[in-house]
Amino acid sequence: MTYCVGLFLDEGLVMLADTRTNAGLDNISTFTKLQSFHRPGERMIAAMTAGNLAVSQAVINLIQDGLPHPETGKPETIHTVPTMFAAAGLVSAAVRKVYETHGEAMKAQGVAFDVSILLGGQIANRTMRLFEIYAAGNFIEATRDTPFLQIGEHKYGKPILDRAVTSATSLTDGVKLALISMDSTLRSNLSVGMPLDLLVYRNNSIDGVETHRVEDGDAYFRMIRERWSAALSAAHKAIPAPDWLHTDAG
């Protein structure tokens, strides 16, 4: 399984993905699910993938190799699309192309065509955007009212984001919240695992992008885990008991 989360903030983007893939309890591997396509001064686009690894890799390869534009017929790649909306359309077309090529064969083998992708970034002189592309090749977009998107095993980390993330959240706080969300998922689902890949992008900067791999044993992530656990424990203990509950104090 997988957990990937993207935060769409006024200050920029926070994108975080785990790296665990598995095909059964005895076949667990590590693969990078976060890919960036950065051309200094021109564009910064990043994609995170969940689902069938072969499908995900085929889609990522196709958007780099190129697909014919539906109107001009000329090859178009993630490095040449003029807008982020066109980038989302390209990824969607790649998903449909992979299904056209492999979908029926996968179905005959009892393998689900399962893929979802978070695509975020900015092209120079354009607006920063964040999209979620589905297995059907359609997509939705994050907004100020819905400032984060998740794919994969999202249910454990979502309550934290629902309560704390707004479009006005700073990039620094966004990183902390994304890591807390990931920690909650790691604690509750063994199919999501370390290391983690993090990308932070500052809005309207194109080149203001930082990446970091959080390895197992990372000191900052360990501190996040310990402080969050302690804060939760202290918070629930500080809440008064309900006045209708009568327990034996002895």
Side-chain angles (χ1 to χ4, degrees):
M1 199 56 179
T2 295
Y3 178 49
C4 303
V5 56
L7 307 187
F8 181 72
L9 310 174
D10 293 342
E11 287 189 4
L13 295 172
V14 176
M15 301 178 75
L16 179 67
D18 84 310
T19 57
R20 176 166 292 180
T21 63
N22 66 80
L25 293 176
D26 60 348
N27 188 10
I28 297 174
S29 302
T30 297
F31 282 91
T32 298
K33 302 168 189 175
L34 171 61
Q35 307 281 342
S36 65
F37 311 97
H38 179 211
R39 288 196 168 180
E42 180 190 326
R43 67 188 59 213
M44 199 302 295
I45 302 175
M48 297 187 292
T49 59
N52 184 284
L53 182 61
V55 172
S56 299
Q57 290 185 342
V59 170
I60 295 299
N61 277 302
L62 272 177
I63 65 174
Q64 295 180 87
D65 291 345
L67 289 169
H69 188 279
E71 295 179 4
T72 67
K74 294 181 179 179
E76 191 171 51
T77 76
I78 197 69
H79 300 292
T80 63
V81 287
T83 66
M84 283 302 300
F85 185 81
L90 176 67
V91 175
S92 297
V95 169
R96 292 191 294 271
K97 179 65 175 177
V98 174
Y99 180 81
E100 179 185 319
T101 304
H102 300 291
E104 288 303 316
M106 292 175 66
K107 183 178 179 181
Q109 294 293 323
V111 179
F113 187 85
D114 177 26
V115 65
S116 52
I117 299 166
L118 293 184
L119 183 78
Q122 189 171 26
I123 294 172
N125 303 315
R126 296 282 185 170
T127 303
M128 181 188 75
R129 301 173 83 170
L130 175 66
F131 299 92
E132 179 177 351
I133 296 99
Y134 298 105
N138 55 337
F139 56 87
I140 63 170
E141 182 175 6
T143 67
R144 286 181 59 85
D145 293 327
T146 309
F148 67 88
L149 295 172
Q150 303 166 283
I151 55 176
E153 191 58 81
H154 63 269
K155 59 182 176 289
Y156 302 108
K158 188 174 186 295
I160 293 158
L161 304 178
D162 281 335
R163 288 177 180 271
V165 175
T166 70
S167 60
T169 298
S170 69
L171 279 176
T172 300
D173 283 343
V175 169
K176 289 187 285 186
L177 288 166
L179 289 171
I180 292 169
S181 176
M182 180 65 75
D183 176 54
S184 296
T185 305
L186 290 168
R187 284 178 175 269
S188 300
N189 192 306
L190 292 176
S191 68
V192 178
M194 305 285 286
L196 313 175
D197 287 323
L198 173 70
L199 181 146
V200 182
Y201 170 71
R202 185 165 295 280
N203 194 6
N204 291 320
S205 67
I206 303 300
D207 299 332
V209 57
E210 296 181 50
T211 59
H212 179 67
R213 171 155 281 198
V214 181
E215 299 283 357
D216 199 9
D218 180 271
Y220 183 78
F221 190 56
R222 183 173 64 249
M223 179 273 293
I224 283 271
R225 305 183 97 163
E226 292 171 353
R227 289 201 179 187
W228 181 246
S229 293
L232 284 177
S233 179
H236 87 76
K237 290 177 181 177
I239 296 172
D243 57 12
W244 43 260
L245 181 65
H246 303 287
T247 60
D248 183 1

